[in-house]
Amino acid sequence: MNVSEYVWHRLSEWGLSRVYGYPGDGVGGLDVALEKAKDKMDYVQVRHEEMAAFMASAHAKFTGQVGLCYATSGPGAIHLLNGLYDAKMDHVPVVALVGQQARSAIGASYQQEVDLQALFQDVTEYVALASVPEQVRHLVDRAVRIAHTKRGVSCIILPNDLQELDYKDPPLAHGATHTGVGYAGPAKRPEDSLLRAAADVLNSGKKVAMLVGAGALEATDEVISVAERLQAGVAKALLGKAAVPDDLPFVTGSIGLLGTKPSWDLMKSCDTFLMVGSAFPYSEFLPKPGDARGVQIDIDGSRLSLRYPMEVNIVGDSATALAALLPLLKQKKEPSWRGEIEKGMKEWWATLKARAMNSAEPLNPQRAFWELSPRLPDNAIITADSGSVANWYARDLKMRRGMKASLSGGLASLGAGTPYAVAGKMAYPDRTVIACMGDGAMQMNGLNVMITISKYWKQWSNPRLIVLVLNNRDLNQVTWEERIMLGAGKTESTQSIPDFAYHKYAELLGLKGIFVDNPDRVGAAWDEALSADRPVILEAYTDPNVPPLPPHITLKDAKNFVSMIPSEPELGSVLKNSAKELLTSVLPGKD
């Protein structure tokens, strides 16, 4: 084997079987070798390297495996960065292979020569430049192992001339190292003393609140058992939306600006706080320091007591730690507080329904999500993009057991929803995948990714991949941030974006396009999309001035809203829709 052939061979020995990438002369040897390795390495050709990195990040999120992407030198490598930062900030393992100019040209300001080690230094846990074939084995082994162990990004830089040299094992000599494959096992059981200390805190609490995140996605049973034992309410960080099902009456849904009022109430009235597998960033939505005793469990010790001053900190895998903690917890009798949580959730779902049914011009965006929620197929995979669409995704969609859901969390990058959907579909071709997009994200990356979908969809055992596009001609989340956070009216020059016939674009690609602007047709549109024999763009022509209300409106928010009135170009629509939303928050179910 030459070096390139060995790289794909070694990665397959690690169990990696899919790579997302784009060719170029900087990775010519890898391109040729990949064609020969089709029996063990599935190649997904993207339209832009950023999509390859997003897909690798999403692959890691949905499967728990190491994601893999590759790109050529210079511009291709640079394009990877946004998706790699998504993986870094959401703590998932990704390996990136990038090309480089010939070794003899490095340092000569050669065409497309970029200092790639410096470029990738911040985003990676490990970055290394190969210079001789004897290095390649340990570079691959260390890149995969470090990405997996540290749940971060690794990068191997392969000069293009090296890629075509004969591969050689390292010699048994001074200055050489000999590595092997093999992942580390799950985290060990936490120390008994820490478990006892945590149990003492949790057993003494009368009002226990739990917050679970992405680290609890594989600990659903353990989270539910602990919550039942403690009679706790359970809120979810956005990346943990699928960690526990929403049909449990004590699950209060998302937390934060995109969260629910019951989650706000839960955090502000608890006396004991258990945080599991989350680095949720917004401390103002957590209990006030000193109001609640805290226990935190996280696989990464550096994130303990980062958002709230915890009394007991435990490093460990969520499922392992909770299972070890459970026998030490005393069964609490159902307190009146638990009943208040469940009552609050019933009222909240009624409020969301009332908001979704409010009229708008021409269509309320919440209606699209409210009608989708009961129609979600079993084991569906749902992705969402950043923007106001994330509000409706976070609040209106009820997760059931077996579903998967994710988005760009820590980076909150625009344009991740469609590449995430492709990665989900490639990993689970038998499942229905639904991407929830705003029109800004669709214009940024989504139209590009639809071409990739058109290239591959006939390979899938279940052809259903639906891209919901909220066409509101507005960069909506930022517009509302200007109104509420800055006290300024919509700045049309920066916020208004072109109208585009997304459903017709789908048809141009040989896919199915559906258009809806009538609230009474939304349910039928979803039924049509979910029964289609090919991927669909469902374009909902929505009102940009339906406010994504936060769960708690501060005096500052209210003052800013009043301050923006003189400069708001769409004032009548903004005031009318805001009044409807506020009224249904007070009187859910009333017209």
Side-chain angles (χ1 to χ4, degrees):
M1 289 185 285
N2 66 22
V3 165
S4 295
E5 292 164 344
Y6 179 80
V7 167
W8 299 123
H9 167 76
R10 191 64 168 180
L11 288 167
S12 70
E13 288 190 318
W14 275 95
L16 279 63
S17 60
R18 180 173 295 110
V19 60
Y20 298 93
Y22 200 78
D25 60 1
V27 285
L30 289 172
D31 293 338
V32 172
L34 186 55
E35 181 71 17
K36 297 177 182 178
K38 287 190 292 186
D39 60 328
K40 54 190 172 188
M41 187 63 65
D42 181 29
Y43 169 53
V44 179
Q45 181 202 74
V46 297
R47 317 270 68 77
H48 187 288
E49 292 90 350
E50 181 183 343
M51 303 305 98
F54 270 135
M55 291 175 191
S57 176
H59 177 90
K61 290 182 179 182
F62 288 134
T63 67
Q65 303 165 356
V66 175
L68 181 62
C69 60
Y70 88 109
T72 189
S73 57
I78 293 168
H79 282 164
L80 288 176
L81 282 175
N82 199 51
L84 295 182
Y85 270 102
D86 178 63
K88 170 189 171 73
M89 295 183 70
D90 285 346
H91 311 285
V92 293
V94 168
V95 171
L97 308 175
V98 296
Q100 179 57 290
Q101 298 309 302
R103 292 168 295 170
S104 57
I106 294 175
S109 295
Y110 205 75
Q111 185 189 33
Q112 294 191 334
E113 182 194 353
V114 172
D115 186 347
L116 295 177
Q117 285 179 284
L119 180 74
F120 287 102
Q121 193 66 49
D122 180 62
V123 75
T124 57
E125 297 289 342
Y126 176 77
V127 56
L129 170 68
S131 56
V132 294
E134 291 86 347
Q135 275 182 288
V136 174
R137 186 172 91 182
H138 73 251
L139 295 188
V140 172
D141 290 350
R142 295 210 73 214
V144 179
R145 181 173 285 114
I146 289 171
H148 177 266
T149 302
K150 295 193 174 184
R151 298 181 337 280
V153 178
S154 293
C155 177
I156 306 171
I157 304 165
L158 296 160
N160 56 20
D161 60 329
L162 176 70
Q163 295 170 31
E164 299 187 58
L165 297 181
D166 289 341
Y167 170 73
K168 298 177 183 177
D169 275 331
L172 190 62
H174 188 72
T177 188
H178 298 260
T179 56
V181 300
Y183 291 106
K188 293 182 179 178
R189 187 179 187 275
E191 294 180 10
D192 287 342
S193 60
L194 284 175
L195 292 171
R196 287 194 297 269
D200 288 344
V201 171
L202 297 170
N203 285 332
S204 66
K206 292 183 172 60
K207 301 177 179 180
V208 182
M210 295 177 67
L211 172 60
V212 299
L217 288 172
E218 300 301 321
T220 301
D221 290 333
E222 291 80 3
V223 169
I224 293 171
S225 296
V226 168
E228 292 282 24
R229 186 73 54 88
L230 296 173
Q231 291 295 293
V234 182
K236 300 186 284 188
L238 203 52
L239 287 172
K241 183 171 176 63
V244 284
D246 287 305
D247 52 13
L248 296 172
F250 53 84
V251 173
T252 62
S254 298
I255 189 174
L257 287 167
L258 314 185
T260 72
K261 184 178 183 298
S263 289
W264 169 271
D265 294 340
L266 176 72
M267 292 295 148
K268 296 305 176 182
S269 60
C270 70
D271 62 17
T272 310
F273 179 37
L274 173 58
M275 190 171 180
V276 183
S278 177
F280 174 76
Y282 302 119
S283 296
E284 67 269 27
F285 290 92
L286 302 180
K288 181 181 177 182
D291 283 359
R293 301 178 72 185
V295 174
Q296 186 175 0
I297 299 169
D298 202 287
I299 195 76
D300 183 350
S302 69
R303 295 206 295 271
L304 294 170
S305 275
L306 180 62
R307 311 300 184 196
Y308 188 85
M310 298 293 179
E311 188 171 334
V312 181
N313 295 283
I314 296 176
V315 175
D317 168 76
S318 296
T320 304
L322 290 174
L325 179 63
L326 186 63
L328 304 176
L329 300 177
K330 297 176 182 177
Q331 179 62 55
K332 295 183 187 293
K333 295 180 180 179
E334 183 172 334
S336 59
W337 185 70
R338 175 77 171 262
E340 291 170 8
I341 294 170
E342 296 183 5
K343 179 184 176 185
M345 278 310 299
K346 289 180 181 178
E347 293 174 350
W348 175 252
W349 288 120
T351 296
L352 287 182
K353 181 178 181 180
R355 289 180 180 179
M357 296 302 165
N358 279 334
S359 60
E361 295 297 330
L363 180 63
N364 186 333
Q366 295 165 102
R367 185 70 175 265
F369 288 81
W370 187 259
E371 296 286 357
L372 168 62
S373 190
R375 292 175 167 85
L376 284 171
D378 291 340
N379 297 319
I381 298 174
I382 305 102
T383 72
D385 222 291
S386 296
S388 61
V389 69
N391 291 271
W392 322 130
Y393 157 87
R395 294 173 184 165
D396 289 88
L397 295 184
K398 294 184 180 181
M399 292 292 103
R400 303 195 304 273
R401 267 188 179 271
M403 292 180 178
K404 294 179 181 288
S406 198
L407 41 57
S408 176
L411 189 60
S413 176
L414 200 64
T418 46
Y420 268 45
V422 170
K425 194 67 174 177
M426 289 296 182
Y428 303 98
D430 59 320
R431 297 194 182 198
T432 297
V433 176
I434 300 170
C436 304
M437 306 291 294
D439 49 0
M442 198 65 184
Q443 291 183 17
M444 179 177 283
N445 286 341
L447 297 176
N448 165 319
V449 176
M450 293 308 301
I451 301 173
T452 302
I453 291 170
S454 73
K455 176 179 171 69
Y456 288 106
W457 74 268
K458 292 181 181 179
Q459 300 177 10
W460 301 330
S461 54
N462 169 4
R464 293 177 185 86
L465 188 157
I466 303 166
V467 178
L468 168 68
V469 183
L470 301 185
N471 183 356
N472 57 27
R473 292 77 60 205
D474 181 48
L475 298 176
N476 199 232
Q477 185 77 1
V478 175
T479 295
W480 279 102
E481 287 170 349
E482 288 181 352
R483 289 166 176 157
I484 304 302
M485 296 182 179
L486 302 180
K490 174 181 176 178
T491 55
E492 292 182 294
S493 60
T494 64
Q495 298 311 109
S496 296
I497 62 173
D499 198 352
F500 185 86
Y502 302 96
H503 67 293
K504 292 183 179 179
Y505 179 69
E507 295 169 357
L508 182 67
L509 294 173
L511 310 177
K512 187 175 182 64
I514 301 172
F515 178 85
V516 63
D517 61 357
N518 182 334
D520 296 330
R521 285 282 305 148
V522 173
W526 274 118
D527 292 336
E528 184 180 357
L530 288 164
S531 62
D533 64 353
R534 63 194 60 210
V536 175
I537 291 180
L538 173 53
E539 179 183 352
Y541 207 75
T542 56
D543 190 333
N545 292 325
V546 174
L549 293 178
H552 176 73
I553 299 174
T554 66
L555 181 60
K556 181 181 178 182
D557 293 337
K559 287 180 177 178
N560 285 341
F561 186 80
V562 172
S563 297
M564 69 87 190
I565 289 175
S567 60
E568 174 52 53
E570 299 170 4
L571 182 61
S573 176
V574 168
L575 292 178
K576 182 171 69 173
N577 283 318
S578 297
K580 289 179 183 178
E581 292 290 293
L582 289 169
L583 182 61
T584 50
S585 298
V586 178
L587 300 170
K590 302 294 183 182
D591 189 2

Coordinates of all heavy atoms in Angstrom, one line a residue, residues 523-556:
G523 N -51.7 20.9 8.3 CA -51.7 19.5 8.6 C -51.7 18.6 7.4 O -50.9 17.6 7.3
A524 N -52.5 19.0 6.4 CA -52.5 18.2 5.1 C -51.2 18.3 4.4 O -50.7 17.3 3.8 CB -53.6 18.8 4.2
A525 N -50.5 19.4 4.5 CA -49.2 19.6 3.9 C -48.2 18.6 4.5 O -47.4 18.0 3.8 CB -48.7 21.0 4.0
W526 N -48.2 18.5 5.8 CA -47.3 17.6 6.5 C -47.7 16.1 6.1 O -46.8 15.3 5.9 CB -47.4 17.7 8.0 CG -46.5 18.8 8.6 CD1 -46.9 19.9 9.2 CD2 -45.1 18.8 8.5 NE1 -45.8 20.7 9.6 CE2 -44.7 20.0 9.1 CE3 -44.2 18.0 7.9 CZ2 -43.3 20.4 9.2 CZ3 -42.8 18.3 8.0 CH2 -42.4 19.5 8.7
D527 N -49.0 15.8 6.0 CA -49.3 14.4 5.7 C -48.8 14.1 4.3 O -48.3 13.0 4.0 CB -50.9 14.3 5.7 CG -51.4 14.4 7.1 OD1 -50.7 14.1 8.0 OD2 -52.6 14.7 7.2
E528 N -48.9 15.1 3.4 CA -48.4 14.9 2.0 C -46.9 14.7 2.0 O -46.3 13.8 1.3 CB -48.8 16.1 1.1 CG -48.4 15.9 -0.3 CD -48.7 17.1 -1.2 OE1 -49.4 18.1 -0.6 OE2 -48.4 17.1 -2.4
A529 N -46.2 15.5 2.8 CA -44.7 15.4 2.9 C -44.3 14.1 3.5 O -43.3 13.4 3.0 CB -44.1 16.6 3.7
L530 N -45.0 13.6 4.5 CA -44.6 12.4 5.2 C -44.9 11.1 4.4 O -44.4 10.1 4.8 CB -45.2 12.4 6.6 CG -44.6 13.4 7.6 CD1 -45.6 13.6 8.8 CD2 -43.3 12.9 8.1
S531 N -45.7 11.3 3.4 CA -46.1 10.1 2.6 C -45.4 10.1 1.2 O -45.7 9.3 0.4 CB -47.6 10.0 2.4 OG -48.1 11.2 1.7
A532 N -44.5 11.1 1.0 CA -43.9 11.3 -0.3 C -42.9 10.2 -0.6 O -42.4 9.5 0.3 CB -43.2 12.6 -0.4
D533 N -42.7 9.9 -1.9 CA -41.7 8.9 -2.3 C -40.3 9.4 -2.5 O -39.5 8.7 -3.1 CB -42.3 8.1 -3.5 CG -42.3 9.1 -4.7 OD1 -42.1 10.3 -4.6 OD2 -42.6 8.5 -5.8
R534 N -40.0 10.6 -2.1 CA -38.7 11.2 -2.3 C -38.6 12.3 -1.3 O -39.5 12.8 -0.7 CB -38.6 11.7 -3.7 CG -39.6 12.8 -4.1 CD -39.6 13.0 -5.6 NE -40.1 11.8 -6.3 CZ -39.7 11.4 -7.5 NH1 -38.9 12.2 -8.2 NH2 -40.1 10.3 -8.0
P535 N -37.3 12.9 -1.2 CA -37.2 14.0 -0.3 C -38.0 15.2 -0.7 O -38.4 15.4 -1.9 CB -35.7 14.3 -0.4 CG -35.1 13.0 -0.8 CD -36.1 12.4 -1.7
V536 N -38.4 16.0 0.3 CA -39.3 17.1 0.1 C -38.8 18.4 0.7 O -38.1 18.4 1.8 CB -40.6 16.8 0.9 CG1 -41.6 17.9 0.8 CG2 -41.3 15.5 0.3
I537 N -39.0 19.5 0.0 CA -39.0 20.8 0.7 C -40.4 21.3 0.9 O -41.2 21.4 0.0 CB -38.2 21.9 -0.2 CG1 -36.7 21.5 -0.3 CG2 -38.4 23.3 0.4 CD1 -35.9 22.5 -1.1
L538 N -40.7 21.5 2.2 CA -42.0 22.0 2.6 C -41.8 23.5 2.9 O -41.2 23.8 4.0 CB -42.6 21.2 3.8 CG -43.9 21.8 4.4 CD1 -45.0 22.0 3.4 CD2 -44.3 20.8 5.5
E539 N -42.3 24.3 2.0 CA -42.1 25.8 2.2 C -43.3 26.4 2.9 O -44.4 26.3 2.3 CB -41.9 26.5 0.9 CG -41.7 28.0 1.0 CD -41.5 28.6 -0.4 OE1 -41.4 27.9 -1.4 OE2 -41.5 29.9 -0.4
A540 N -43.2 26.9 4.1 CA -44.2 27.5 4.8 C -44.0 29.1 4.7 O -43.0 29.6 5.2 CB -44.3 27.1 6.3
Y541 N -45.0 29.8 4.1 CA -44.8 31.2 3.9 C -45.3 31.9 5.2 O -46.6 32.1 5.3 CB -45.6 31.6 2.7 CG -45.1 32.8 2.0 CD1 -43.9 32.7 1.2 CD2 -45.7 34.0 2.0 CE1 -43.4 33.9 0.5 CE2 -45.3 35.1 1.4 CZ -44.1 35.1 0.6 OH -43.6 36.2 -0.1
T542 N -44.4 32.3 6.0 CA -44.8 32.7 7.4 C -44.7 34.2 7.7 O -43.9 34.9 7.0 CB -44.0 31.9 8.4 OG1 -42.6 32.1 8.2 CG2 -44.4 30.4 8.3
D543 N -45.3 34.6 8.7 CA -45.3 36.0 9.2 C -44.0 36.2 10.0 O -43.7 35.5 11.0 CB -46.5 36.2 10.1 CG -46.7 37.7 10.5 OD1 -45.7 38.4 10.5 OD2 -47.9 38.1 10.7
P544 N -43.2 37.2 9.7 CA -41.9 37.4 10.4 C -42.1 38.1 11.8 O -41.2 38.2 12.6 CB -41.1 38.3 9.5 CG -42.1 39.0 8.7 CD -43.3 38.1 8.5
N545 N -43.3 38.6 12.0 CA -43.5 39.4 13.2 C -44.3 38.7 14.3 O -44.8 39.4 15.2 CB -44.3 40.7 12.8 CG -43.4 41.6 11.9 OD1 -42.2 41.6 12.1 ND2 -44.0 42.2 10.9
V546 N -44.3 37.4 14.3 CA -44.7 36.6 15.5 C -43.6 36.5 16.5 O -42.5 35.9 16.1 CB -45.2 35.2 15.1 CG1 -45.6 34.4 16.3 CG2 -46.4 35.4 14.1
P547 N -43.7 37.1 17.7 CA -42.5 37.2 18.5 C -42.2 35.8 19.2 O -43.0 35.2 19.7 CB -43.0 38.2 19.6 CG -44.4 38.1 19.6 CD -44.9 37.7 18.2
P548 N -40.9 35.5 19.2 CA -40.4 34.3 20.0 C -40.2 34.7 21.4 O -39.1 35.0 21.9 CB -39.1 33.9 19.3 CG -38.6 35.2 18.7 CD -39.8 36.0 18.4
L549 N -41.3 34.8 22.2 CA -41.3 35.3 23.5 C -40.4 34.5 24.4 O -40.5 33.2 24.4 CB -42.7 35.3 24.1 CG -43.7 36.3 23.5 CD1 -45.1 36.1 24.2 CD2 -43.3 37.7 23.6
P550 N -39.6 35.1 25.2 CA -38.8 34.3 26.2 C -39.7 33.9 27.3 O -40.8 34.4 27.5 CB -37.8 35.4 26.7 CG -38.5 36.7 26.6 CD -39.3 36.6 25.3
P551 N -39.3 32.9 28.1 CA -40.1 32.3 29.2 C -40.4 33.3 30.3 O -41.3 33.2 31.1 CB -39.4 31.1 29.7 CG -38.0 31.4 29.3 CD -38.0 32.1 28.1
H552 N -39.5 34.3 30.4 CA -39.6 35.3 31.5 C -39.3 36.7 30.9 O -38.2 36.8 30.4 CB -38.7 34.9 32.6 CG -38.7 36.0 33.7 ND1 -39.8 36.1 34.6 CD2 -37.8 36.9 34.1 CE1 -39.5 37.1 35.5 NE2 -38.3 37.6 35.2
I553 N -40.2 37.6 30.9 CA -40.0 38.9 30.4 C -39.5 39.8 31.5 O -40.2 40.0 32.5 CB -41.2 39.5 29.7 CG1 -41.6 38.5 28.6 CG2 -41.0 40.9 29.2 CD1 -43.0 38.9 27.9
T554 N -38.3 40.4 31.3 CA -37.8 41.3 32.4 C -38.2 42.7 32.1 O -38.7 43.1 31.0 CB -36.2 41.3 32.3 OG1 -35.8 41.8 31.1 CG2 -35.7 39.8 32.5
L555 N -38.1 43.6 33.1 CA -38.4 45.0 33.0 C -37.6 45.6 31.9 O -38.1 46.4 31.1 CB -38.2 45.7 34.3 CG -38.5 47.2 34.3 CD1 -40.0 47.4 34.0 CD2 -38.2 47.8 35.7
K556 N -36.3 45.2 31.8 CA -35.4 45.7 30.7 C -36.0 45.4 29.3 O -36.0 46.2 28.4 CB -34.0 45.2 30.9 CG -33.0 45.7 29.8 CD -31.6 45.1 30.0 CE -30.7 45.6 28.9 NZ -29.3 45.0 29.1

